[in-house]
């Protein structure tokens, strides 16, 4: 009797360890938890070809910061910038807080740029490197999947660079990207 009781106890405890465990799949991050964005400028790329890529980090629902890199892929066209790096900070004033860091924004930016400026009367082309500070306005739309459409326009004043440097720089494009 003791042997039967011992076998029953061991088999019941063994059955308890044999229960199926269900492992849950990790949940996909919601749009609220995503903090990184990558975007590319559409108008400059199609008309230039000038490639501008932007990374933006979402610090909070109302504040982001990031940087853009611009590369002129065709140096023969009459565009003053050949290369630029533009760090920026944005403050959002959205009507709803549905996805955060979307809607109307004001941006402050700094820019380091290199390029060339040509003088038609003398057929002289001078290269320059300068800095600039400016402000931009824009609007960003985002859907629940994380795709982004952004309209941006800004202007800044150059600092340094000599006589061949343009007095003002412009910032703007229709950006398309993804939040991850």
């Amino acid at each position: 009797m003791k042997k039967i009781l011992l076998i029953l106890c061991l088999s019941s405890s063994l059955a308890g360890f044999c229960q199926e465990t269900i492992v849950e799949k990790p949940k996909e991050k919601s749009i609220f938890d995503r903090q990184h964005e990558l975007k590319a400028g559409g108008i400059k790329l199609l008309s230039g070809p000038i490639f501008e890529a932007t990374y933006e980090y979402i610090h909070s629902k109302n504040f982001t910061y990031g940087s853009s890199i611009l590369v002129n892929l065709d140096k023969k066209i009459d565009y003053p910038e050949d290369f630029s790096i533009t760090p920026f900070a944005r403050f959002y004033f959205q009507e709803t807080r549905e996805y955060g860091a979307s809607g109307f924004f004001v941006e402050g930016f700094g820019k380091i740029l290199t390029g060339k400026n040509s003088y038609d009367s003398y057929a002289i082309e001078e290269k320059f490197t300068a800095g600039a500070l400016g402000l931009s306005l824009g609007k960003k739309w985002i859907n629940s999947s994380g795709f982004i459409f952004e309209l941006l326009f800004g202007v800044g004043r150059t600092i340094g660079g000599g006589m061949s440097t343009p007095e003002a720089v412009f910032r703007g494009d229709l950006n398309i990207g993804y939040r991850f």
Side-chain angles (χ1 to χ4, degrees):
M1 183 77 170
K2 289 182 182 180
K3 289 182 184 180
I4 294 173
L5 188 59
L6 182 63
I7 291 173
L8 282 173
C9 287
L10 286 175
S11 63
S12 66
S13 65
L14 187 60
F17 287 115
C18 294
Q19 296 294 322
E20 181 180 339
T21 58
I22 299 173
V23 178
E24 291 185 27
K25 292 181 182 178
K27 290 185 179 181
E28 185 178 322
K29 277 186 166 181
S30 79
I31 196 75
F32 302 106
D33 298 330
R34 300 178 190 177
Q35 294 182 306
H36 308 278
E37 292 180 358
L38 281 178
K39 297 172 274 198
I43 292 179
K44 288 179 188 167
L45 187 60
L46 293 174
S47 63
I50 299 164
F51 180 70
E52 185 170 21
T54 302
Y55 169 78
E56 187 173 353
Y57 178 76
I58 300 165
H59 184 270
S60 70
K61 292 182 190 240
N62 298 321
F63 178 71
T64 65
Y65 55 89
S67 185
S68 296
I69 295 177
L70 180 137
V71 178
N72 186 347
L73 300 173
D74 186 3
K75 308 280 193 235
K76 296 174 187 170
I77 64 170
D78 190 24
Y79 190 76
E81 296 177 39
D82 288 336
F83 178 79
S84 68
I85 297 175
T86 309
F88 60 85
R90 291 181 178 172
F91 296 94
Y92 286 86
F93 302 94
Q94 64 266 19
E95 298 82 31
T96 65
R97 297 180 184 267
E98 194 171 341
Y99 297 122
S102 66
F104 175 74
F105 62 86
V106 175
E107 171 187 280
F109 68 88
K111 184 180 261 199
I112 299 170
L113 63 144
T114 63
K116 62 186 174 319
N117 210 347
S118 55
Y119 303 101
D120 292 332
S121 58
Y122 301 109
I124 297 172
E125 190 172 275
E126 288 188 31
K127 294 186 176 186
F128 65 86
T129 301
L133 294 174
L135 292 172
S136 298
L137 299 174
K139 180 133 182 168
K140 184 194 301 183
W141 296 270
I142 183 166
N143 70 4
S144 60
S145 302
F147 287 98
I148 299 165
F149 180 74
E150 176 181 279
L151 179 63
L152 172 71
F153 178 76
V155 65
R157 178 84 176 182
T158 56
I159 302 166
M163 295 296 292
S164 62
T165 305
E167 289 186 26
V169 294
F170 296 97
R171 177 166 162 74
D173 214 335
L174 294 174
N175 294 318
I176 299 169
Y178 186 73
R179 183 180 288 183
F180 58 97

